[in-house]
């Protein structure tokens, strides 16, 4: 039976697996400094994955609830601990594949790894901004970046670790999505569980990006991240033929 490792050890493993793709040399990872921010490793990798927890993880209104349980539990005297998870494909930090809104689009297991790993730019959007439209995008230096991540009011409010669903999250407006899609961007990410405006009459933002084969990473935890350029690793669970999957996401300053 495979053993699932969490936290610092898993972060280090992901970093080593992705080194070849990012052009870095594998190296031993010393223990992190005692005063390092939460989520940081000694080599500078930052875990920007929201923890999945039915008590603290927000669920998009109308989506499947999260249910975690223990079939066996050594704390109850069982000889082993064995868990069961039930949740939607778009829970916590996750990747939207083209199939989510594009008929015949790529499923999450077919999203190219080249899009999910490489140089990324984090753009800080003011807490007062809800709609990241073309005018707002023009205020930031995003041109030339291949992967764009938006840090918004959701990070400032810690909304990815608060169970209540916030309808007023910052979103990528369709005109900005079209600009990004037409510019050669290969990935777009945001720090709440959707990049689309809540209650939008049509999923135009998703269609603009996914229609060009651009995966969307939603639900990032960017609280410990500042604007700037980073190395990015996003590895969704390899679920065959489905529209999305939870993912582990890491950033490292370039």
């Amino acid at each position: 039976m495979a053993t699932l490792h969490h936290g610092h050890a898993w972060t280090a493993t992901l970093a080593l697996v992705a080194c070849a793709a990012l052009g870095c040399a594998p190296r031993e990872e010393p223990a992190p400094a005692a005063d390092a921010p939460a989520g940081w490793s000694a080599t500078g990798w930052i875990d920007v994955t929201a923890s999945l927890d039915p008590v603290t993880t927000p669920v998009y209104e109308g989506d499947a609830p999260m249910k975690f349980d223990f079939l066996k539990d050594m704390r109850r005297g069982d000889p082993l601990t064995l868990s069961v998870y039930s949740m939607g494909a778009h829970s916590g930090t996750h990747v939207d594949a083209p199939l989510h809104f594009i008929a015949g689009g790529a499923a999450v297991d077919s999203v190219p790894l080249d899009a999910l790993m490489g140089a990324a730019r984090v753009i800080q959007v003011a807490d007062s901004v809800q709609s990241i439209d073309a005018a707002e995008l023009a205020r930031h230096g995003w041109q030339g970046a291949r992967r764009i991540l938006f840090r918004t009011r959701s990070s400032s409010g810690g909304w990815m670790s608060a169970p209540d669903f916030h309808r007023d999250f910052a979103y990528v407006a369709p005109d900005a999505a079209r600009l990004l899609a037409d510019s050669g961007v290969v990935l777009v990410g945001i720090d709440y569980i959707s990049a689309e405006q809540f209650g939008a009459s049509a999923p135009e933002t998703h269609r603009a990006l996914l229609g060009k084969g651009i995966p969307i990473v939603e639900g990032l935890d960017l609280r410990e991240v500042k604007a700037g350029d980073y190395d990015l690793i996003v590895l969704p669970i390899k679920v065959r033929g489905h529209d999305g999957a939870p993912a582990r996401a890491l950033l490292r300053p370039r």
Side-chain angles (χ1 to χ4, degrees), residues 201-242:
S201 58
E204 294 182 27
T205 292
H206 279 84
R207 287 174 179 164
L209 296 170
L210 299 178
K212 290 286 186 73
I214 301 168
I216 306 171
V217 186
E218 298 170 332
L220 290 162
D221 181 356
L222 299 179
R223 286 175 295 179
E224 301 294 341
V225 176
K226 297 179 180 179
D229 291 328
Y230 293 81
D231 290 323
L232 170 70
I233 305 168
V234 183
L235 296 180
I237 299 173
K238 193 173 183 180
V239 183
R240 187 182 302 278
H242 280 263

Side-chain angles (χ1 to χ4, degrees), residues 38-49:
W40 282 69
S41 74
T43 54
W45 287 104
I46 314 162
D47 190 344
V48 292
T49 315

Side-chain angles (χ1 to χ4, degrees), residues 82-170:
L82 183 65
S83 300
V84 59
Y85 308 151
S86 174
M87 58 187 171
H90 300 265
S91 298
T93 305
H94 64 274
V95 172
D96 284 2
L99 182 60
H100 189 31
F101 280 107
I102 306 300
V108 71
D109 59 308
S110 298
V111 172
L113 291 178
D114 286 350
L116 300 171
M117 297 189 293
R121 183 165 299 163
V122 174
I123 292 176
Q124 173 69 60
V125 177
D127 290 354
S128 59
V129 173
Q130 184 176 4
S131 175
I132 306 170
D133 56 16
E136 175 63 26
L137 193 59
R139 297 185 179 98
H140 304 278
W142 64 274
Q143 292 87 350
R146 298 269 287 162
R147 299 165 190 83
I148 301 288
L149 310 180
F150 292 104
R151 187 187 189 281
T152 75
R153 57 170 66 179
S154 302
S155 289
S156 301
W159 289 356
M160 279 309 299
S161 59
D164 294 335
F165 175 67
H166 292 263
R167 293 183 172 188
D168 58 339
F169 57 85

